[in-house]
Amino acid sequence: MAKRVLVKYSGEALSGESGFGIESKILDYLARELKTLVEAGIEVGIVIGGGNFIRGVSVSQGGLIRRTSGDYMGMLATMINGVAMQEALEYYGLDVRVQSALEIKEVCETYINRRAIRHLEKGRVVIFVAGTGNPFFTTDTAATLRAVEIGAEMIIKATKVDGVFDKDPAKFDDAVMLRQIGYDQALKDNIKVMDDTAIALAKDNTLPIVVCNMLREGNLLKIIQGDSGAVYSKVSNEN
Ligand code: GTP
């Protein structure tokens, strides 16, 4: 069983049907799922995107807002999501610390790697917000970076699909889900699990990327415990 993991959610994951903002029902569900991990003795880091409020790339497309500013706006959005998740996890009795790559100390702690690791060792969930603190990097890249920095054994990308398929399952009935893909294959096939920067960083550090469906109840714990009933795809070194 993995001892320390980083779970990455998209911002849209929190918004449900509406695609905007935070839906309490989903936040509540995710918090309950994450609680099962902590109860099993797993150390959990979390990164949440900010796309349910703003996406740097999209907001800057019209040319009125520069990409750099758009990305900073996106980083602030991840802070909103992180604070919301902290509240939800605390509601269920967990100890949680939010650490930000941008210093806004009235809202949360600033990211300090050694401190984050101490929090994890003490059984606290650590939510990393504000991406890497730099524009032009996605939250997937930020999540991968934090996963490597805290020595997570895997990064779990919780999505709305079960895993990675050989072709688009929405278009092809015979699409097959792939259980394992090499980093190079993932990059070559442009499988869009994560952006290339994130995959390359994972590859350089031999960090497995697990892709799974966040809506499958209990699946997250099964994956980490190595349960044979777990449903996921894994990007890792080919064996
Ligand atoms: P220990 O060192 O193990 O006691 O960890 P701790 O996080 O409980 O200690 P600390 O006294 O650093 O933090 C107490 C509370 O204040 C925690 O909820 C922290 O998240 C919070 N906190 C610490 N530093 C900051 C900060 O710079 N800004 C904000 N907003 N909260 C902070």
Side-chain angles (χ1 to χ4, degrees):
M1 182 177 91
K3 179 88 177 82
R4 182 177 295 166
V5 301
L6 190 136
V7 185
K8 161 76 191 354
Y9 296 102
S10 69
E12 288 86 344
L14 302 189
S15 63
E17 297 294 299
S18 76
F20 185 83
I22 296 169
E23 197 178 295
S24 302
K25 234 169 67 185
I26 295 186
L27 193 61
D28 184 274
Y29 162 76
L30 296 179
R32 282 185 282 113
E33 284 285 288
L34 290 162
K35 183 181 163 97
T36 64
L37 309 190
V38 178
E39 283 174 344
I42 298 155
E43 296 174 7
V44 183
I46 301 173
V47 170
I48 311 169
N52 51 329
F53 290 112
I54 207 149
R55 301 182 70 84
V57 183
S58 320
V59 85
S60 60
Q61 253 157 17
L64 193 63
I65 297 173
R66 287 178 308 128
R67 170 73 189 271
T68 308
S69 296
D71 281 348
Y72 279 119
M73 291 159 76
M75 289 179 228
L76 295 175
T78 69
M79 190 175 270
I80 298 175
N81 288 334
V83 171
M85 180 61 89
Q86 178 179 36
E87 290 291 322
L89 293 170
E90 284 178 349
Y91 177 87
Y92 284 105
L94 301 186
D95 266 347
V96 189
R97 299 290 183 267
V98 179
Q99 289 205 342
S100 172
L102 297 175
E103 188 175 313
I104 307 187
K105 64 180 192 307
E106 289 76 5
V107 179
C108 61
E109 295 178 24
T110 301
Y111 174 67
I112 298 173
N113 173 260
R114 283 170 175 271
R115 199 167 187 197
I117 289 171
R118 281 300 287 143
H119 287 324
L120 291 166
E121 286 169 351
K122 287 178 182 175
R124 296 167 182 155
V125 174
V126 183
I127 306 174
F128 301 101
V129 301
T132 67
N134 300 102
F136 298 98
F137 289 96
T138 63
T139 43
D140 277 352
T141 298
T144 310
L145 176 64
R146 293 295 182 245
V148 171
E149 284 184 287
I150 63 170
E153 283 154 75
M154 63 175 83
I155 175 168
I156 302 175
K157 170 132 177 181
T159 69
K160 286 177 181 165
V161 293
D162 280 335
V164 181
F165 291 79
D166 62 345
K167 45 192 154 185
D168 187 351
K171 288 189 197 145
F172 300 94
D173 285 344
D174 61 342
V176 177
M177 199 173 106
L178 307 167
R179 188 69 164 197
Q180 204 271 338
I181 311 143
Y183 298 107
D184 289 337
Q185 196 67 32
L187 289 166
K188 184 167 147 279
D189 293 354
N190 195 16
I191 58 170
K192 296 203 164 58
V193 166
M194 284 191 169
D195 58 274
D196 289 0
T197 312
I199 297 175
L201 187 59
K203 180 190 168 192
D204 282 351
N205 294 282
T206 52
L207 172 76
I209 304 168
V210 172
V211 184
C212 68
N213 188 341
M214 63 171 204
L215 298 173
R216 270 187 190 272
E217 208 170 331
N219 196 39
L220 215 47
L221 183 59
K222 282 187 190 158
I223 290 170
I224 299 166
Q225 289 182 326
D227 186 307
S228 58
V231 180
Y232 65 89
S233 295
K234 190 193 260 182
V235 181
S236 61
N237 273 339
E238 280 145 306
N239 11 348

